[in-house]
Amino acid sequence: MNLKQRLKNGEAVHGCWLNTGSPLTAEIVGLSGFDWVLIDLEHGAGSEAVLMPVLQALEHTGVSPIVRVESAEGPRIHRVLDMGAKGVMCPKIATPEDAVRLAKGLHYPPFGTRGVAKMVRATGFGKDFQSYYDSSRDNILGIAQIETTSILNHLDSVAQTDGIDVLFIGPADLSMELGIFGQFDHPLFTDAMRETINAAQKAQKAVGILFFNPEDYGRYYNMGIRFLACGSDATFVADGARRLSSQLNQFRSNPGL
Ligand code: 3PY
Ligand code: MG
């Protein structure tokens, strides 16, 4: 069952960020049991040029590749879908019109504005064009980031936008805009989360969030968040390397431990 259907069924789906732009790291993470990965072209080190090899590396792992583009401009969205992304996340959705632009960019006419090219990786280079076209409305996941204060006044409108499947809270940007950077227990932040979840639930849409401490899983799950991202390839490497080197340093100061 695809990610979109699993979310519709209310299942929790687990992902993480890929922000190193490395096909090899993507492959390692893809084989480790996550349901989806987010290839980050907003803040990540990779560019559209390395997206193709990253997607190729992920192909045999079974994980669903989602790409975060820099903005809801059509060309950004079409290119990553043509390369084979199964969903698109757009940062800093600030107005209801931004959400509509994102949703339309994800889909072919008559619903949307996506340009049609048969000879692209997403369609098996033309071989699977018809089935890709027929199923794309059921398969492609549209994810609007809730991380500006202006969008907090339009949550119902974003949630009700056809083609937006997930309202994804960006904790860093949202807390920064609220003037409480990093304070995820602050009432301003928890109120914004609750309002996002309420709007999404009314429209039968999912909510997502990124966190770095797996101990926070229960808190977010119990609030109703089901599109759960924990950590990134960069933090996995950094955490493992720092833990190991600090153990080695302890042994150096006391080799007989
Ligand atoms: C943020 O925290 O601002 C993000 O965009 C990632 O979740
Ligand atoms: Mg952000």
Side-chain angles (χ1 to χ4, degrees), residues 42-43 68 91-92 145 147 170 172-173:
E42 187 201 11
H43 289 301
R68 178 159 73 173
K92 300 254 175 184
Q145 277 205 264
E147 52 181 3
D173 279 308

Side-chain angles (χ1 to χ4, degrees), residues 224-248:
I225 298 180
R226 293 290 179 270
F227 192 74
L228 295 147
C230 189
S232 70
D233 56 352
T235 60
F236 303 151
V237 175
D239 288 350
R242 285 175 196 149
R243 195 167 43 245
L244 184 65
S245 78
S246 102
Q247 277 176 335
L248 293 177

